[in-house]
């Protein structure tokens, strides 16, 4: 079973997924970051593929991507770093480690070649991919058949503007989980989720979708974390961790600081 499906089959709530950008703050920190996050009890990890025009990302992640590219990070380099990680789990587990997801934009993936990309994902232990600028029609017609052959989950995003019909259609034609973007804006920490976002969360929760949802964008403190946990299977945290990682230059210290922030 794909490790994403395994996770949601065994843990149905309070799931914590952490995003970091490969190549930031240092070029060669990818494997250490993943192992450290696993040791710290994270349930799932999203590894960002840096790109020069990250349209869905706010200033913190945009800055991290720029610095990662300057450090020399490429998709080929990232795959090389991930080579044996799927065999490493601390402590060892039956599923061989926690789920790993690559998050990146279509351009570098297309340049790599999508089937070659999926093949490398399997070789290095990647379970799923998030491609924010992948049109859903293209996903269904061109990308899903290839990803399915390699047992790679392509995770689709929904926003407050996504219609109920569209959400049901996505739910019917994807696997793993649905990435529930908290707002139509870019990524970035928020202090609270207002009434409009609360209504959006309640609307999706009431739809009783087949697949679990994970809420991302804006989670940075206890209020936003608890709201996400109450309305979905869990939370995805990116900008807050990326900022703390740059400040501390140490993934363990960054994770400790994040957990402190999530109690405030």
């Amino acid at each position: 079973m794909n490790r994403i499906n395994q996770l949601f089959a065994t843990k149905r709530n309070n799931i914590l997924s952490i995003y970091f950008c490969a190549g930031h703050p240092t070029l060669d920190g990818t494997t250490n970051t993943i192992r450290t996050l696993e040791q710290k009890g994270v349930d799932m990890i999203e590894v960002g593929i840096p790109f020069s025009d990250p349209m869905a990302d706010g200033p913190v992640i945009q800055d991290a991507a720029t610095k990662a590219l300057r450090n020399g990070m490429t998709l080929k380099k990232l795959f090389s770093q991930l080579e044996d990680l799927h065999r490493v789990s601390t402590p060892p587990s039956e599923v061989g480690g926690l789920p790993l997801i690559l998050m990146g934009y279509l351009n570098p993936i297309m340049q790599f070649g999508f089937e070659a990309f999926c093949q490398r994902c399997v070789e290095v232990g990647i379970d799923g991919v998030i491609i924010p600028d992948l049109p859903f029609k293209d996903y269904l017609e061109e990308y899903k058949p290839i990803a399915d052959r390699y047992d790679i989950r392509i995770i689709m995003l929904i926003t407050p503007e996504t219609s109920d019909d569209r959400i049901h259609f996505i739910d019917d034609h994807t696997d793993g989980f649905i990435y529930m973007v908290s707002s139509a804006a870019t990524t970035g920490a928020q202090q609270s989720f207002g009434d409009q976002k609360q209504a959006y969360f309640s609307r999706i929760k009431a739809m009783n979708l087949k697949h679990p949802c994970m809420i991302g964008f804006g989670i940075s403190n206890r209020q936003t974390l608890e709201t996400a946990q109450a309305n979905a299977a869990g939370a995805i945290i990116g900008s807050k961790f990326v900022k703390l990682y740059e400040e501390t230059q140490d993934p363990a210290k960054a994770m400790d600081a994040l957990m402190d922030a999530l109690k405030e």
Side-chain angles (χ1 to χ4, degrees):
M1 180 185 290
N2 182 287
R3 291 184 299 186
I4 296 172
N5 299 88
Q6 177 75 22
L7 171 62
F8 288 100
T10 56
K11 186 173 183 179
R12 300 184 180 277
N13 51 51
N14 296 341
I15 292 171
L16 180 61
S17 180
I18 298 294
Y19 166 96
F20 75 95
C21 182
H24 175 269
T26 61
L27 176 62
D28 297 319
T30 302
T31 56
N32 179 51
T33 303
I34 291 172
R35 289 170 181 158
T36 299
L37 291 175
E38 184 168 10
Q39 290 167 359
K40 291 291 184 180
V42 169
D43 298 300
M44 185 162 60
I45 296 174
E46 295 178 19
V47 183
I49 304 167
F51 182 53
S52 58
D53 186 24
M55 55 185 280
D57 294 315
V60 170
I61 294 179
Q62 284 185 23
D63 182 65
T66 298
K67 290 174 178 174
L69 292 171
R70 289 175 182 166
N71 286 341
M73 179 53 68
T74 65
L75 184 52
K76 183 177 180 181
K77 176 73 172 175
L78 175 56
F79 278 134
S80 177
Q81 291 178 344
L82 293 170
E83 194 74 53
D84 294 319
L85 258 177
H86 64 299
R87 300 190 190 97
V88 179
S89 179
T90 311
S93 69
E94 293 181 0
V95 294
L98 46 70
L100 294 176
I101 296 173
L102 290 184
M103 184 169 185
Y105 292 86
L106 195 53
N107 185 280
I109 295 173
M110 286 181 64
Q111 289 186 17
F112 196 90
F114 188 67
E115 183 149 9
F117 173 82
C118 289
Q119 184 173 355
R120 285 297 280 146
C121 282
V122 172
E123 291 170 354
V124 303
I126 295 298
D127 304 279
V129 183
I130 301 169
I131 310 174
D133 57 342
L134 174 61
F136 197 74
K137 183 175 183 292
D138 293 350
Y139 155 73
L140 284 177
E141 295 177 357
E142 301 176 34
Y143 293 84
K144 185 179 186 299
I146 297 171
D148 286 349
R149 286 205 301 271
Y150 290 91
D151 198 31
I152 299 294
R153 304 289 177 262
I154 298 183
I155 308 302
M156 304 302 292
L157 285 70
I158 63 172
T159 74
E161 283 70 38
T162 309
S163 69
D164 288 3
D165 287 345
R166 177 81 166 181
I167 292 169
H168 280 299
F169 191 70
I170 290 172
D171 191 37
D172 287 339
H173 293 88
T174 58
D175 197 359
F177 68 94
I178 294 173
Y179 194 129
M180 188 173 164
V181 177
S182 67
S183 71
T186 57
T187 58
Q190 300 176 37
Q191 292 303 307
S192 64
F193 291 134
D195 292 344
Q196 191 172 9
K197 291 176 184 175
Q198 297 271 9
Y200 160 57
F201 298 155
S202 296
R203 173 171 70 93
I204 304 303
K205 188 176 181 181
M207 291 176 69
N208 294 316
L209 300 174
K210 294 184 295 185
H211 294 98
C213 290
M214 292 285 289
I215 295 178
F217 289 35
I219 298 167
S220 63
N221 57 20
R222 186 174 66 180
Q223 198 271 359
T224 49
L225 176 65
E226 289 180 350
T227 300
Q229 291 174 336
N231 290 280
I236 300 167
I237 300 177
S239 295
K240 185 69 174 181
F241 177 76
V242 170
K243 183 178 180 181
L244 291 168
Y245 195 177
E246 172 149 317
E247 291 173 355
T248 63
Q249 298 288 304
D250 183 315
K253 291 180 180 178
M255 195 63 203
D256 288 343
L258 175 63
M259 297 312 293
D260 288 342
L262 294 176
K263 297 172 184 176
E264 298 176 355

